[in-house]
Every structure is written in C-alpha cells, then in structure tokens.
Amino acid sequence: MLTEPADGEEPAFSQSINLFRRGQTVFPGGVTRATVDKDPNPIYMSRGEGAYLVDVDEARLLDLNNNFTTLLHGHGYEPILEAVSSLLSTGTCFSNPTKHEIALAELLTSRIPSVERIRFVNTGTEAVMFAIKAARAFTGRSAIARFAGAYHGAYDWAEAGQNGFEAAPDGRRIARLGYQGAPSAVANDVLVLDFNDADALEEALTVNAERLAAVLIDPMPSRAGLIEPAREFIDRLMTVADRHGILVIADEVLNLRQSFSGASARYGLTPDLLVAGKIIGGGFPIGAVGGSAKVMAVFGGDTRSPMVSQGGTFSANPVSMVAGRIAMEAATPAVFDRLEQQGVRLRAQLTATARKHNAPFSVTGAASLLRLHPKSEPPRSFAAAVQRPDELARMRFLCRFLRREGVLLPHDAAACLSTPMTDMDLDHVADAFDKFLTQHSFASQEAQP
Ligand code: PMP
C-alpha cells in the first residue's frame, strides 16, 4: 500500500510518489531490493554529483549513504568516468582474462596483509559464499560460527543468525533462518555467538571445534550496531581458532573502507580469508575473496582440479576492474587520514549535540563510518542496538527531518563519508541535527516523536 507523506509537509517528493506508483505495478513491494528506504515512500534519484544526490524533484541531498558505503569518492568521480568511458568502446566483458584484473589484484594484495591470493566475483554475497565454501573444503568441516545481528549477504548459511537466535529449552541457541522454508539443516551448521564476548566465544569454539570450518566475522558489524571489536576479543578469537584449526573469515565488504589496509589490519586481526566488495569496485558491481596462498589454493592449483569451483559470468569484468583500481589508487593513506579526521569530528559533534539537548540519541562507528542510534547510551551489543518501535519511530522522524534539511541519512545502518564532502557539508549535518533537537524536545527518554 502506498503511504502518503506524513505531516502533510512533503509535497517536494511528488515525482517520487508517481514513480513509486508505477514501480508497484511491476515489482513486489514496489522496488527491487529490500534495503530501499520506503519511509514514507522511496525517493527516486535523478543523478549524483560528488557528495550530493539530486532526486527526480530536483531536491539536493548530501549523501551519507553512498550506496550502502560503496562510493568512497562520491558520485561522478572524474578519473573513474574517464577511464571507464574510454574502456567501454573496447568491450565490457569477455570469457578471457584481461590485464585489468591483475592490476586490481596486485593493488589489493600489496595493501591488505592477509591477502596473498584473490578471486573476483560480482557481489559481497557471492564472495562470502565462496569464502565459506573455501573454508569447508580446506578443513573438511561444514559448520560456521558467526555473530548475532551481523549482515553477511543472502547465502543461506551467512543469513542464518542475522536476526539472532531462538533459545531451545535446553539453552542451546538455534540460529534464526533468513526466511520461512529455509532448510532447517542450515541452523544445525550455524553457531550464533555474541560479538565482543571472548569467554563465550572460547567455550563455543572449543565445544564445537570438530565441526567448525570457520568463524565469520565482520570487524565492525553495521546492522549489529556498528560497534568496534575489543582487542582482547580479537586476540582470543585468533588464539582459539588457531588452536582448533578453525579458519577465520573477515567479512570486510563494508569495513575495508576503514583504512588503507582495511579493518582487520586496524584491529590486529589476521584472518585466513578476507572478503571485500563495495569500495573496491569504484561504483560498479564487485566482490572478492582473498587469503593466504595455502587456503586460496582450494580454488585452483597448478596441477590438480579445484576443490571449490568458482566461476561467474561477469566475474572480473574489465569495467569493475578498471573502476575499482582507479578508486583504490586514489584512496591513499592521506585520503584515509582525512576521512578519519572528519569522521571523528562529526561523531563528536553529533554526540555533543545529543548531550546538549539531553536527547536520547547516541553515536557509534569508526573511521568514515557512523551510526546514529535513537538511544541515550551508545549500544554495546546487537541486543542493545535493536530499536524498539518507539525508538524506530524517533529515528524515522529524524531521518525525515534531515531529508527536508538536505541530508540523506540511513535510519538503521551505517552512514558514511565520501572524499568530496567538505567540513562545511559535515557541519551542516551537525547543525541540522541541532535544529531538529531544538524544535523537538526529547529531554525525557520516554518521549515519543
Ligand atoms: N557483507 C557485508 C558486511 C555487507 O555489508 C554486505 C552488503 N551490505 C554484504 C556482505 C553483501 O554484499 P552485496 O550486497 O554486494 O551482496
């Protein structure tokens, strides 16, 4: 059902409403991916310009989503446009390899310490799937452990546990499956753990060692709260996994953007396999699974047939390879430093603003990533990050307000910066948040919008 804009104050999005009406006649739910924000209706974009989006009603919005953190350099980054434009006339996909895939692979293996060999695919979902298959083939075990609430894409075993678990009468945790009808056997092979709980992790890995192929970890899971890992937790994970021959898979599809060498390097994690995506495609579809030469040999050695067959019609297509290389070449240590400083500053501004108004909002994140929570204290666990209906309503209310102030903020996932953003752009975000809290009093934690 189409929801008309609430409060009667948003005639500006009228072209989007018309398009949504058309979308509803051809797409289930009116859109083509579950993650599209439909509150109060999807906003259809006409174009992107650097740090900004322009919607079909010509409203300009500072883009703090950047296609779910993909666009490190924002929209229409000139060097990528030039390189891709000149490539297009030479062909966009072949069944043969090209030099472009080697160039991007060389760049990534030289930067990311745990990646000696790499394979390219088209999405993060696919890359996580192949990493899990690789760990299974390497260890001869089928189960994986993962952390409650973390998003790892749509492979059944990666999806189970994304929404937590059910407690069985005997206290065991049964991973919640992604959809009704998902094979119940999937739950048997997915252990759901709590992020940053080192003792419980050690116990679960020890008890289940013989059946565990891997621990799948996003170093700062966005949907589980965008909470940084504790050093002790990372150390224990590596020690215990190593003791039992369990591989560690770091899912850095989102968090590779934390530093020049990614997130694992930042937090002292040395995974056996690392999954990347988003920023390494420069705005084009991509995923990658990399790791030690020893483990990656499951995808192919010189003499024997691969233990895991990894194909993909569009894998390593030259457009994604070239765009990714240009994007990553431009992402120098100095660029990451600047993004980091801007992230630190914006998070501090937003936190100070919430405190000044004694308002139930808090901030988590690191580097160029942040999440605003409709909660007085920054959550320290997935359970604490889950939004109650009144909190969700407050967050949606804020996002709508910010949109009217020209800022696009995701309401339940990581927001992020891009290199074309100026300090003035970010000050505007903080000012708009201040204006929101000035106009709407939330001094009492129980206040409703
Ligand atoms: N893992 C993580 C950590 C992600 O953030 C995402 C995408 N948001 C995925 C996997 C899946 O990637 P894709 O959407 O490219 O399939």
Side-chain angles (χ1 to χ4, degrees):
M1 198 189 78
L2 179 66
T3 324
E4 295 293 342
D7 312 327
E9 79 252 275
E10 290 183 278
F13 299 115
S14 59
Q15 291 306 321
S16 283
I17 291 173
N18 291 339
L19 287 170
F20 190 37
R21 286 209 172 94
R22 278 174 59 196
Q24 284 171 308
T25 66
V26 282
F27 302 124
V31 291
T32 61
R33 43 183 177 167
T35 44
V36 170
D37 189 349
K38 296 205 274 184
D39 181 49
N41 57 270
I43 305 176
Y44 288 75
M45 287 308 155
S46 142
R47 59 192 182 277
E49 293 173 356
Y52 287 83
L53 288 165
V54 182
D55 79 0
V56 287
D57 288 296
E58 288 296 308
R60 256 169 89 75
L61 295 160
L62 182 72
D63 186 6
L64 289 173
N65 187 312
N66 283 298
N67 194 31
F68 302 101
T69 76
T70 297
L71 301 166
L72 196 64
H73 302 292
H75 302 274
Y77 181 60
E78 203 56 48
I80 294 178
L81 294 187
E82 279 167 19
V84 169
S85 307
S86 69
L87 182 82
L88 289 178
S89 58
T90 66
T92 58
C93 55
F94 316 105
S95 54
N96 306 72
T98 67
K99 64 180 180 184
H100 305 298
E101 67 203 39
I102 300 176
L104 181 58
E106 284 170 345
L107 182 149
L108 295 171
T109 53
S110 72
R111 278 188 191 198
I112 310 172
S114 54
V115 176
E116 292 174 344
R117 298 286 185 276
I118 194 162
R119 280 283 177 101
F120 291 114
V121 291
N122 303 289
T123 64
T125 288
E126 223 184 321
V128 169
M129 174 182 78
F130 281 118
I132 291 173
K133 288 186 176 193
R136 286 175 175 156
F138 187 81
T139 59
R141 306 167 181 169
S142 57
I144 60 157
R146 53 103 80 225
F147 297 95
Y151 182 74
H152 294 288
Y155 184 45
D156 281 345
W157 287 266
E159 200 172 47
Q162 179 187 310
N163 292 319
F165 56 88
E166 309 286 350
D170 63 2
R172 271 183 319 120
R173 292 178 166 194
I174 314 289
R176 273 197 197 119
L177 299 177
Y179 54 99
Q180 183 184 315
S184 55
V186 169
N188 297 335
D189 277 333
V190 178
L191 220 63
V192 185
L193 310 176
D194 293 327
F195 196 74
N196 272 341
D197 186 341
D199 290 341
L201 169 96
E202 174 156 7
E203 193 188 326
L205 261 51
T206 307
V207 171
N208 293 281
E210 283 179 13
R211 63 192 197 96
L212 278 176
V215 179
L216 175 63
I217 178 171
D218 176 339
M220 189 172 76
S222 148
R223 297 232 192 134
L226 207 71
I227 299 160
E228 285 192 281
R231 185 69 203 220
E232 146 72 1
F233 171 68
I234 294 291
D235 289 348
R236 195 90 71 86
L237 164 61
M238 288 193 303
T239 310
V240 179
D242 186 52
R243 185 187 303 150
H244 298 293
I246 301 165
L247 301 192
V248 174
I249 304 172
D251 178 352
E252 294 203 22
V253 168
L254 190 148
N255 275 298
L256 194 78
R257 69 151 45 228
Q258 278 205 39
S259 85
F260 185 72
S261 299
S264 295
R266 180 184 179 117
Y267 296 117
L269 178 69
T270 52
D272 302 282
L273 289 163
L274 185 143
V275 179
K278 298 194 193 272
I279 65 167
I280 65 163
F284 290 85
I286 201 161
V289 51
S292 67
K294 196 168 148 200
V295 176
M296 289 295 289
V298 301
F299 290 117
D302 293 334
T303 52
R304 57 191 167 89
S305 55
M307 293 172 82
V308 177
S309 173
Q310 176 264 310
T313 303
F314 292 101
S315 293
N317 73 80
V319 181
S320 298
M321 298 296 107
V322 165
R325 179 177 53 77
I326 305 269
M328 295 306 286
E329 274 173 0
T332 60
V335 162
F336 281 105
D337 282 353
R338 176 169 173 268
L339 284 169
E340 173 104 27
Q341 282 161 21
Q342 287 182 315
V344 166
R345 184 161 165 268
L346 180 58
R347 284 189 297 276
Q349 282 176 314
L350 296 172
T351 302
T353 304
R355 289 223 179 100
K356 182 177 93 178
H357 291 276
N358 191 21
F361 284 97
S362 54
V363 185
T364 56
S368 60
L369 292 154
L370 69 120
R371 235 189 108 166
L372 250 173
H373 300 268
K375 294 169 182 283
S376 298
E377 290 300 319
R380 300 199 188 287
S381 66
F382 165 56
V386 173
Q387 297 175 8
R388 297 189 317 249
D390 61 310
E391 293 172 332
L392 181 61
R394 187 156 66 231
M395 197 61 205
R396 290 213 155 117
F397 190 54
L398 167 66
C399 290
R400 284 189 194 186
F401 181 93
L402 289 179
R403 221 150 60 200
R404 289 194 295 276
E405 295 293 316
V407 175
L408 189 76
L409 179 83
H411 73 267
D412 65 348
C416 68
L417 310 184
S418 64
T419 57
M421 284 182 189
T422 63
D423 288 350
M424 250 168 65
D425 288 326
L426 301 178
D427 285 345
H428 175 66
V429 177
D431 290 346
F433 185 48
D434 189 50
K435 186 169 168 189
F436 172 73
L437 294 178
T438 303
Q439 288 185 11
H440 305 282
S441 172
F442 297 103
S444 154
Q445 289 188 25
E446 300 312 316
Q448 302 279 321

